[in-house]
Amino acid sequence: MARDEDVIGCTGVLVVGTRGDAGPGEVLVRVRGGSETLIAWSSEPLAPGAQVLVIDSRGARQVDVIAWSDTEADPLDQLN
């Protein structure tokens, strides 16, 4: 599957927490003028509601994420 370059660098909110190496979660990101839900992988577990940054695309609507803190914006505002 081809990588989705558009999602790399986007921030989002986890709607389903990740479990690190034990399994993925789900992230809602604002991209391409709308919001999309993608399968999210992280190296360590992240809780639902955590704000994350997409650092890579695995293709097939799967991304790698890390915890992200943006003190200037409410993470839920970006989804509205």
Side-chain angles (χ1 to χ4, degrees):
M1 278 279 146
R3 291 168 36 111
D4 184 352
E5 300 291 333
D6 290 344
V7 299
I8 298 172
C10 291
T11 58
V13 175
L14 290 178
V15 292
V16 175
T18 63
R19 296 177 289 142
D21 293 335
E26 200 169 304
V27 63
L28 185 59
V29 296
R30 177 169 258 173
V31 64
R32 294 182 270 274
S35 295
E36 296 183 22
T37 305
L38 307 168
I39 301 299
W41 293 88
S42 63
S43 60
E44 46 189 69
L46 299 170
Q51 186 174 7
V52 296
L53 174 68
V54 177
I55 59 169
D56 200 5
S57 169
R58 296 182 176 203
R61 302 189 55 79
Q62 297 187 58
V63 295
D64 292 319
V65 299
I66 58 171
W68 184 252
S69 177
D70 182 354
T71 57
E72 295 182 20
D74 179 346
L76 297 179
D77 285 345
Q78 74 180 17
L79 302 177
N80 295 326

